[in-house]
Amino acid sequence: MGFVFSKPMNDSLKAQQEFMLMNSRLQLERQLLMQNQMRERQTAMQIAWTREFLKYFGTFFGLAAVGLTAGAIKKKNPGVLLPIVPLSFIFAYQYDMGYGTLLQRIKGEAENILDTQSTLLELPKGPLTYEDLEKIRRSQSKFFIEK
């Protein structure tokens, strides 16, 4: 008699477990997609910011180069052109970041570090554990004093 009731209950329990597994998987997939979308949007904003900055810095660099060149010619002193050297490095970096291949090179180096030098990524004192967090929480808590 108990078998008559237990089989439908087992089937119901199994179906519920499968539903919960499917639901948690779907939730995880959505979370991963959302995190990836946020990362892509943040990267796009960074590239757009770099390109916008490059417009202003490029204008400044051009005016500075013309002004410094005119000053060097007028004073007959090539040392006046010296500030163009660091400014050109900054300009080249910003251009490479906004329109060049800097991001691909950074991505390649990051992949290389992940593949060959993963020990550099380890946290000091190892990864955080629940016990570590509880210990810190208890030491900073002003509400509960545990003896």
Side-chain angles (χ1 to χ4, degrees), residues 94-112:
Q94 291 296 328
Y95 183 83
D96 195 21
M97 179 74 163
Y99 295 101
T101 60
L102 180 64
L103 290 177
Q104 285 88 10
R105 293 193 313 271
I106 290 172
K107 180 182 169 208
E109 184 60 27
E111 289 173 352
N112 179 44

Side-chain angles (χ1 to χ4, degrees), residues 48-109:
W49 182 91
T50 300
R51 289 179 179 179
E52 193 63 28
F53 177 78
L54 186 62
K55 292 175 188 175
Y56 289 96
F57 187 77
T59 303
F60 166 74
F61 178 73
L63 291 172
V66 169
L68 290 171
T69 303
I73 292 171
K74 187 175 182 181
K75 292 188 176 192
K76 296 182 180 170
N77 181 5
V80 175
L81 290 173
L82 208 52
I84 288 180
V85 175
L87 290 176
S88 64
F89 278 102
I90 295 169
F91 182 76
Y93 175 82
Q94 291 296 328
Y95 183 83
D96 195 21
M97 179 74 163
Y99 295 101
T101 60
L102 180 64
L103 290 177
Q104 285 88 10
R105 293 193 313 271
I106 290 172
K107 180 182 169 208
E109 184 60 27

